[in-house]
Amino acid sequence: MATKKISYEEAMKELEGIVQMLEEGNVSLEDSLEMYQRGIELTKLCQEKLAAAENKLAKVVTESDEEEPFQAEEGKK
């Protein structure tokens, strides 16, 4: 299965479905391997999307329209 352009949410939903099917154990070995490979593709896609979002959040535009690194305050929830 080729990874088409899908959203993070779509990838996570598909990945959750794969995990559920593998946990149930009602699939053949060949199908399990294909599902596992697809799961790896989806995991990489999700990691890339999260990294891109993190990079966008890492910059905050100041009042003077200059970009400065975003620094999260530790200890606050």
Side-chain angles (χ1 to χ4, degrees), residues 11-72:
M12 283 300 296
K13 185 175 182 175
E14 185 177 344
L15 188 55
E16 289 169 355
I18 289 171
V19 169
Q20 182 178 7
M21 289 174 64
L22 289 173
E23 285 178 344
E24 290 173 0
N26 296 329
V27 292
S28 69
L29 178 60
E30 289 177 357
D31 288 343
S32 293
L33 289 173
E34 287 180 22
M35 294 170 82
Y36 180 80
Q37 289 175 332
R38 178 62 177 162
I40 296 297
E41 290 175 6
L42 292 167
T43 300
K44 288 179 182 178
L45 178 98
C46 288
Q47 289 173 339
E48 290 169 3
K49 288 186 179 283
L50 286 174
E54 184 178 278
N55 287 335
K56 286 181 183 179
L57 290 174
K59 294 182 180 178
V60 176
V61 178
T62 65
E63 290 180 4
S64 62
D65 292 330
E66 294 177 15
E67 291 184 354
E68 65 181 39
F70 175 77
Q71 295 180 3

